[in-house]
């Protein structure tokens, strides 16, 4: 028994999935100008909303964000490679993160789109969610603070004893 309409729940589910895909691709583009990245995110959300309201089960719900996001990544990374005159991101990032992330996303997408039946739904749909979650972990760029930094300070220089402590009061009223 649900307190809301099934179509609304389904539409919200599709919209959330499409938005997470779009935001991941925009984050992967690593656009330094925040206003450009923000504009892409807002325009993408409105575009996805229109597509989902028009036909939530359309292939366009996934295809348009993927192709638009890949075009954005290609442009952004291409400009960075041109300016730096070397590969962006590093070959290690491609080998250890991007290729495995894309492979997991493809495995999840193929299992969801082509292999799922009513009898194996609970298994393959779970596989889809695991693959997508792991691929997002691999595909998202590293945090901007750099390796081993906590709030801009090298992790090796911060000992646990130096971190601020909050006194614990047993008298909670």
């Amino acid at each position: 028994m649900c307190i809301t309409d099934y179509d609304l729940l389904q539409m919200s589910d599709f919209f959330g999935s499409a938005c997470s895909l779009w935001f991941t691709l925009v984050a992967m583009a690593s656009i330094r100008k925040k206003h450009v990245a923000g504009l892409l995110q807002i325009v993408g959300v409105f575009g996805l909303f229109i597509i989902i309201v028009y036909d939530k089960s359309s292939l366009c719900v996934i295809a348009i964000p993927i192709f638009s996001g890949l075009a954005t990544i290609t442009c952004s990374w291409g400009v960075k490679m041109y300016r730096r005159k070397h590969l962006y991101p590093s070959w290690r990032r491609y080998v250890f993160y991007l290729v495995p992330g894309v492979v997991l996303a493809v495995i999840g997408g193929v299992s969801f789109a082509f292999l799922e039946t009513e009898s194996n739904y609970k298994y393959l749909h779970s596989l889809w969610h695991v693959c997508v979650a792991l691929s997002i972990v691999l595909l998202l760029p590293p945090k901007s603070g750099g390796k081993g930094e906590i709030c801009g300070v090298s992790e090796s220089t911060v000992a646990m004893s130096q971190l601020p402590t909050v006194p614990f009061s047993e008298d909670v009223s």
Side-chain angles (χ1 to χ4, degrees):
M1 184 164 194
C2 189
I3 60 172
T4 188
D5 186 36
Y6 177 75
D7 285 338
L8 177 64
L9 291 175
Q10 188 179 38
M11 192 154 121
S12 299
D13 178 39
F14 291 177
F15 183 65
S17 297
C19 282
S20 69
L21 173 65
W22 176 246
F23 289 142
T24 300
L25 292 170
V26 171
M28 284 179 65
S30 298
I31 299 169
R32 295 285 178 215
K33 297 184 181 198
K34 299 297 181 195
H35 63 278
V36 174
L39 180 67
L40 283 172
Q41 291 171 347
I42 295 298
V43 168
V45 167
F46 281 122
L48 288 171
F49 184 76
I50 291 167
I51 293 167
I52 290 173
V53 167
Y54 182 71
D55 183 6
K56 63 183 169 262
S57 61
S58 170
L59 179 62
C60 293
V61 171
I62 298 298
I64 289 175
I66 286 176
F67 291 121
S68 301
L70 290 177
T72 304
I73 290 169
T74 302
C75 290
S76 174
W77 289 6
V79 167
K80 288 179 184 187
M81 284 189 256
Y82 178 76
R83 287 183 181 159
R84 296 175 183 189
K85 305 288 189 235
H86 63 85
L87 184 65
Y88 179 85
S90 70
W91 66 270
R92 286 182 183 94
R93 184 118 187 108
Y94 280 100
V95 171
F96 295 115
Y97 295 97
L98 299 177
V99 170
V102 168
V103 168
L104 278 170
V106 168
I107 289 170
V110 166
S111 69
F112 177 76
F114 302 114
L115 304 176
E116 208 170 86
T117 63
E118 284 191 35
S119 62
N120 66 10
Y121 173 80
K122 59 185 172 184
Y123 304 112
L124 288 184
H125 199 74
S126 296
L127 175 68
W128 149 256
H129 281 285
V130 169
C131 286
V132 168
L134 290 174
S135 71
I136 287 175
V137 168
L138 291 170
L139 293 174
L140 282 176
K143 63 182 179 179
S144 61
K147 285 187 176 178
E149 289 188 359
I150 301 172
C151 299
V153 178
S154 174
E155 193 173 4
S156 60
T157 61
V158 178
M160 289 303 286
S161 60
Q162 294 174 323
L163 295 176
T165 58
V166 177
F168 180 74
S169 173
E170 293 204 19
D171 181 28
V172 179
S173 34

